[in-house]
């Protein structure tokens, strides 16, 4: 099964590379774009603090999902902003979930150290086998998805998300509004590109 997931990830990555070359778009900037406008894929995440959370348990609530890795510099750049946004909107029903991805080798200890370093208090876990990462079409880090209370991925942002943009979109989610701006969201100079780094 793990081999099958790895093959699926490889095929998806190759397809996105070919699409990016044909359309002259950086592949990593397309990370997660196929999920926008679609139902957020369900998953079960083992939490760093123990226990687990299932996406299906959060039905009817707005959710912010951030894919990160402790070795990803742009992920570190946005970490404090994500925590501040979580604290500002946690009492308004918005759920934040952080997912440490297997895109770069790390360990549970490194992930815990990252969470402690930035004082992150929202839910965080590790996608050890890569299933969640593949399910969301993530091929570059960080990527943040904004899921409405209807379970649909309304927007995503590739790269380190500016805190003002994050707060604006979370505020819209909290009020039950749609994120209808045309801007899709990309910080083109601030994401991990596996094809050129490491």
């Amino acid at each position: 099964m793990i081999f099958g997931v790895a093959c699926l990830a490889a095929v998806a990555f190759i397809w996105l590379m070919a699409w990016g070359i044909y359309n002259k778009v950086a592949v990593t900037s397309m990370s997660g774009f196929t999920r926008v406008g679609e139902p957020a894929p369900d998953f079960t995440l083992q939490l760093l603090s123990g226990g687990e959370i299932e996406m299906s348990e959060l039905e009817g609530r707005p959710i912010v999902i951030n894919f990160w890795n402790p070795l990803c510099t742009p992920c570190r750049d946005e970490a404090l902003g994500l925590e501040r946004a979580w604290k500002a909107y946690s009492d308004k029903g918005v759920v934040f979930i952080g997912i440490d991805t297997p895109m770069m080798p790390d360990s549970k200890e490194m992930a815990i150290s990252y969470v402690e370093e930035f004082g992150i208090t929202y839910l965080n876990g590790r996608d050890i086998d890569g299933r969640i990462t593949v399910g969301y079409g993530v091929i570059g880090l960080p990527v943040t998805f904004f899921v409405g209370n209807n379970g649909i991925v309304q927007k995503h942002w590739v790269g380190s998300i500016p805190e003002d943009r994050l707060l604006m979109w979370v505020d819209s989610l909290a009020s039950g509004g749609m994120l209808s701006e045309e801007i899709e969201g990309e910080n083109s100079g601030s994401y991990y590109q596996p094809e050129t780094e490491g």
Side-chain angles (χ1 to χ4, degrees), residues 1-34:
M1 181 144 332
I2 292 174
F3 178 74
V5 171
C7 287
L8 180 61
V11 169
F13 183 76
I14 291 168
W15 179 85
L16 284 167
M17 268 183 78
W19 190 93
I21 291 168
Y22 178 76
N23 290 283
K24 310 249 189 278
V25 174
V27 176
T28 312
S29 70
M30 303 310 295
S31 188
F33 83 102
T34 58

Side-chain angles (χ1 to χ4, degrees), residues 57-63 86 90 92-95 147-151:
E57 294 174 352
L58 305 173
E59 188 176 344
R61 299 179 68 180
I63 306 165
W86 152 246
S90 60
K92 297 181 180 176
V94 180
V95 178
V147 182
N149 53 20
N150 60 357

Side-chain angles (χ1 to χ4, degrees), residues 6 12 39 48 51 70 80 87 113 139-140 158 162 171 176 188 197:
L48 293 173
L80 291 175
K87 286 182 176 175
S113 177
I139 58 170
V158 178
D171 187 67
S188 61
E197 297 179 23

Side-chain angles (χ1 to χ4, degrees), residues 119-135:
I120 297 172
T121 58
Y122 56 87
L123 301 169
N124 265 277
R126 298 183 72 223
D127 181 24
I128 299 170
D129 62 10
R131 290 185 190 185
I132 304 171
T133 304
V134 170

Side-chain angles (χ1 to χ4, degrees), residues 72-79 141-142 159-161 189-192 197:
C72 161
T73 300
C75 300
R76 303 178 74 82
D77 293 341
E78 68 179 6
L141 297 174
S160 178
I161 185 167
S190 182
Y191 51 72
Y192 173 76
E197 297 179 23

Side-chain angles (χ1 to χ4, degrees), residues 155-186:
K155 290 281 188 185
H156 84 305
W157 186 279
V158 178
S160 178
I161 185 167
E163 194 167 346
D164 59 344
R165 173 73 56 187
L166 173 64
L167 290 169
M168 184 170 64
W169 283 4
V170 173
D171 187 67
S172 183
L173 281 181
S175 63
M178 295 292 289
L179 305 179
S180 58
E181 298 175 35
E182 289 186 12
I183 183 170
E184 182 48 43
E186 175 189 340

